[in-house]
Amino acid sequence: MSGTEEKAGKGFWERLQEIDSRIIYLLLWIVILWPLITPIGLPISISTGTREYYRIIEDLKPGSRVILSYDLSFAGLPELGPMTIATLHHLLSKDVKVYICAFWDSGADIAADNIKALDPEKNYGKVYGKDYIHMGYNPMREVGMAQFASDVYKAFPVDYIYKKPLETYEIMKGVQTAKDFDLLISVQSGTPGNPEWVRQWITPYGTKYIIGILGVSVPEVAPYYNAGQVKAFLSGLRSAAEYELLVGRRGAALAQQDPLSTTHILVILFVVVGNIGYLFTRGRRGR
Amino acid sequence: MAWYRRVEIPIILTIIFCLFQVVPYFFVVPAWESAAKDFVDWDAVMETFALFIGFSTLLMLHGRIVSQRRRGWYWSAWVLITMIGYTIVGIPIPALGLGKGTPLFEAIRLYVLTPLSGAMYASLGFWIASAAYRAFRARTLEAGILLLSGTLVMLANAPVGTAIWPTFTPIRKWIFDVPNMATMRAVTIGAALGAISLGARTLMGRERGYLRGGE
C-alpha cells in the first residue's frame, strides 16, 4: 500500500494523532506572541504564599541585616529574573542593610546588572558599602555556604564592584557569622540551592529563610515549607507577578501573565484532544 | 606495588578528613573546629586545580576529535574556539581591553551567553507542548489521576484558570500539601538514609566508588 493510500485509509482521529510537530510549535508561537502584541489583562489574585513572602520583608525592623543570594543561572533568568529584581527593589525601599552574594557564577553578574538597573544611589538614596554591598561569587557551592556561615570574610574576602577588602566597608561592622543576619533570601534555580542552605544555615543557626524558585521546584520545596525551614517562597512567574503587584513595581512578570495563560490553555487543549484521539483509536486498534 | 600507589592511602585520608568534618557537628572541640575550617579552605584550592584539570581534559578530548577528523569534528572545533576565545577575553589585561567587566567581555555575556542560555531553557516549552499532545495519555487509572492533577495545577498557575474559578488555588494547595508532601517526604527521607549509609560505608573504607571506578 502506498503512503497516500495508507493515509486515506486512516480515520480522522488517527490522522490527528500523527499531526506534524511543526504545527504544534507554530500554534505555541501564535499563543505566545498574540497576547504580547495585544494584551488581554486578565485579573490576578494574590496567593497566601506570596503575601507571606512580602510580609516577612515588610516586617523587617529598621537596620536589619538581609542577605540576598543570587543562586541562579542565565538559563533561569527569564523565570526568576522578575522576582529577583522585585525583591531587591523591595529591600532597597526599606531601612535595612542588604548583603548581596552568589553561589552560582552567573549570579554575581545578574546581581550587578540588577544593581545597575535599579541605581540605588539615585532612586533609593542608598550608599554602596553603607546600606548595601555586593560581596560577589563563591565557587565552593555547599562548602562555600558552610564557610560563609562560620566566617563571612573567608567566604567573601573582597567585594565584587571595587575589589576592596570586605571589612573596610561600614556595612560590615559587627558582621562575622550567620548569627549576625536577620534574614536570608535565596533566589535559586538548582544545586546548590535549598537543601544546601537548610543544611548549612537554617538547621545549625536558625536563620530566617525565604526563597524564590522555579515553578517546577515547588514539589521539592513544599516539605521544607511545611516543616517551617522555609518561611515563605515565590514560585515561577505567577508568584513574581503577584509580588510585583504587592511591591508596586510593574515589571516583566506582569507583562508575561497573558502568554502564561494562553500557553497553559493550549497545553491543556493538547492533552484533552490527544487523549480523546487516543480513546477513539484505542477502540479501533482493539478490534 | 609501590607504597604510594596502595589503595589504602586515599581511603585512610578520606576517613581522616571525613571525621574532621563530622565530629564538630556533634562535639564542641575548638581546636578540632578550627582545623575543620582550615580543611574547608583547602577545598577551595583543590577545586581551582580541578577547574584547570577540567579545562585541560576538554582541550585534549576535543583536540583529539578534531585532529582525527572524527564524526562531528566541527562541533568539537567550535567548542575549542569558544572555550579558548572566551578564556582569552577573560584574562585580566585592561590595557588590551581584556578581562571581566570590559565592554567585550560584557557584550559576549549579555548579548550571546544570556540569550542563548534562556533560549535553551525556553525550547523545553516546545517539547512539553509536543509531549502534551503525544505522550500524556490516560492509559491507566494512575496515569489518568496524574493527568488530572497536572491539569488542575496548571489551571491554578495560569491567571485565566483562577479568573474562571478561584477554587483552583485551594485545589492546587491540597495537591501540593497532601499527596505531593507524602511522596516527597518519603523520597527525601529515603535519600537521607541512603546518604547516611553511604557516609558510614565511606568512613569504614568500604565505599570505593570514588577510587579508580571502584577497583
Side-chain angles (χ1 to χ4, degrees):
Chain A
M1 198 189 285
S2 72
T4 323
E5 284 170 344
E6 197 179 315
K7 210 169 181 180
K10 285 180 180 173
F12 170 75
W13 290 109
E14 277 168 320
R15 272 184 283 150
L16 202 63
Q17 292 267 325
E18 290 163 13
I19 196 167
D20 194 331
S21 290
R22 284 171 294 186
I23 294 172
I24 294 173
Y25 298 158
L26 180 68
L27 284 171
L28 195 62
W29 264 115
I30 292 167
V31 300
I32 291 170
L33 285 178
W34 163 57
L36 282 176
I37 296 163
T38 51
I40 309 162
L42 287 160
I44 298 165
S45 55
I46 295 167
S47 64
T48 321
T50 309
R51 281 190 198 283
E52 283 172 351
Y53 185 95
Y54 172 79
R55 185 52 47 203
I56 286 171
I57 297 178
E58 200 57 27
D59 289 348
L60 285 168
K61 288 181 187 141
S64 296
R65 296 190 183 114
V66 185
I67 298 166
L68 177 56
S69 187
Y70 281 67
D71 306 321
L72 68 157
S73 64
F74 292 124
L77 202 53
E79 192 173 350
L80 295 175
M83 71 172 73
T84 316
I85 201 159
T87 302
L88 184 59
H89 159 77
H90 194 184
L91 290 171
L92 290 171
S93 310
K94 295 191 63 65
D95 181 18
V96 296
K97 295 186 188 305
V98 187
Y99 301 78
I100 296 163
C101 65
F103 284 88
W104 283 49
D105 57 346
S106 36
D109 291 326
I110 296 167
D113 291 345
N114 280 5
I115 292 171
K116 209 171 166 184
L118 291 178
D119 199 348
E121 273 77 7
K122 189 181 163 199
N123 298 321
Y124 303 86
K126 301 282 180 179
V127 178
Y128 185 80
K130 186 174 168 237
D131 302 308
Y132 75 101
I133 192 163
H134 187 345
M135 302 190 292
Y137 160 59
N138 183 310
M140 291 161 65
R141 299 182 293 275
E142 187 170 359
V143 176
M145 289 172 178
Q147 199 180 35
F148 183 24
S150 62
D151 189 342
V152 176
Y153 304 98
K154 273 195 173 173
F156 300 103
V158 294
D159 78 305
Y160 188 76
I161 311 280
Y162 300 108
K163 314 285 182 230
K164 278 170 61 183
L166 222 55
E167 57 267 29
T168 58
Y169 288 99
E170 191 185 332
I171 193 172
M172 300 311 296
K173 272 181 195 162
V175 175
Q176 193 65 43
T177 68
K179 286 178 187 157
D180 300 318
F181 294 98
D182 301 293
L183 178 66
L184 165 63
I185 308 171
S186 164
V187 182
Q188 49 192 244
S189 57
T191 305
N194 181 52
E196 291 76 21
W197 279 118
V198 169
R199 276 198 291 266
Q200 302 304 335
W201 275 66
I202 316 312
T203 308
Y205 298 93
T207 313
K208 196 179 242 188
Y209 171 60
I210 58 175
I211 55 176
I213 53 170
L214 297 167
V216 292
S217 305
V218 178
E220 288 168 42
V221 166
Y224 294 91
Y225 171 68
N226 267 35
Q229 289 159 318
V230 175
K231 298 292 177 204
F233 66 90
L234 296 180
S235 62
L237 275 178
R238 170 67 194 263
S239 296
E242 295 170 9
Y243 184 54
E244 281 180 359
L245 282 176
L246 285 173
V247 298
R249 185 182 184 276
R250 300 178 84 86
L254 273 167
Q256 291 175 62
Q257 288 309 292
D258 288 342
L260 193 74
S261 286
T262 50
T263 47
H264 276 57
I265 292 297
L266 183 74
V267 168
I268 291 167
L269 277 176
F270 281 155
V271 171
V272 171
V273 174
N275 274 281
I276 293 172
Y278 168 71
L279 285 174
F280 276 101
T281 51
R282 187 177 67 167
R284 197 171 292 178
R285 276 198 297 269
R287 283 198 294 273
Chain B
M1 186 192 282
W3 67 269
Y4 57 84
R5 294 189 68 186
R6 290 184 69 88
V7 76
E8 286 80 5
I9 292 173
I11 290 174
I12 291 166
L13 285 174
T14 306
I15 293 168
I16 291 169
F17 288 102
C18 276
L19 283 172
F20 262 102
Q21 296 306 318
V22 170
V23 170
Y25 212 81
F26 299 99
F27 305 101
V28 181
V29 187
W32 195 295
E33 273 179 39
S34 165
K37 279 182 191 171
D38 285 343
F39 292 145
V40 168
D41 296 340
W42 289 16
D43 183 85
V45 180
M46 286 188 285
E47 288 206 20
T48 312
F49 275 106
L51 190 70
F52 177 72
I53 292 168
F55 188 88
S56 324
T57 311
L58 272 176
L59 272 184
M60 284 191 287
L61 177 78
H62 290 283
R64 203 175 300 133
I65 293 172
V66 173
S67 64
Q68 292 172 357
R69 291 287 190 279
R70 280 195 231 157
R71 191 164 169 242
W73 64 270
Y74 34 85
W75 299 119
S76 293
W78 184 240
V79 168
L80 291 175
I81 291 167
T82 51
M83 193 170 73
I84 296 167
Y86 204 41
T87 305
I88 292 169
V89 170
I91 295 171
I93 314 172
L96 296 175
L98 300 175
K100 210 167 181 328
T102 56
L104 180 62
F105 187 93
E106 290 304 306
I108 295 173
R109 180 177 72 78
L110 276 173
Y111 306 118
V112 181
L113 189 61
T114 306
L116 278 180
S117 306
M120 281 293 287
Y121 186 53
S123 65
L124 280 177
F126 291 90
W127 288 103
I128 289 169
S130 184
Y133 191 72
R134 298 179 198 287
F136 298 169
R137 297 280 189 263
R139 289 191 170 89
T140 59
L141 178 66
E142 290 88 342
I145 293 169
L146 188 70
L147 258 182
L148 182 68
S149 56
T151 308
L152 290 169
V153 170
M154 282 203 320
L155 282 165
N157 278 348
V160 68
T162 46
I164 294 167
W165 195 40
T167 315
F168 281 129
T169 306
I171 291 173
R172 176 185 62 175
K173 191 172 174 352
W174 182 85
I175 290 170
F176 279 135
D177 285 355
V178 182
N180 167 70
M181 189 74 67
T183 319
M184 283 312 294
R185 277 188 178 153
V187 170
T188 309
I189 292 168
L193 289 173
I196 291 169
S197 62
L198 179 74
R201 280 176 62 84
T202 307
L203 273 174
M204 288 187 287
R206 297 184 70 86
E207 180 58 46
R208 300 184 175 199
Y210 62 96
L211 296 168
R212 294 184 236 151
E215 282 170 32

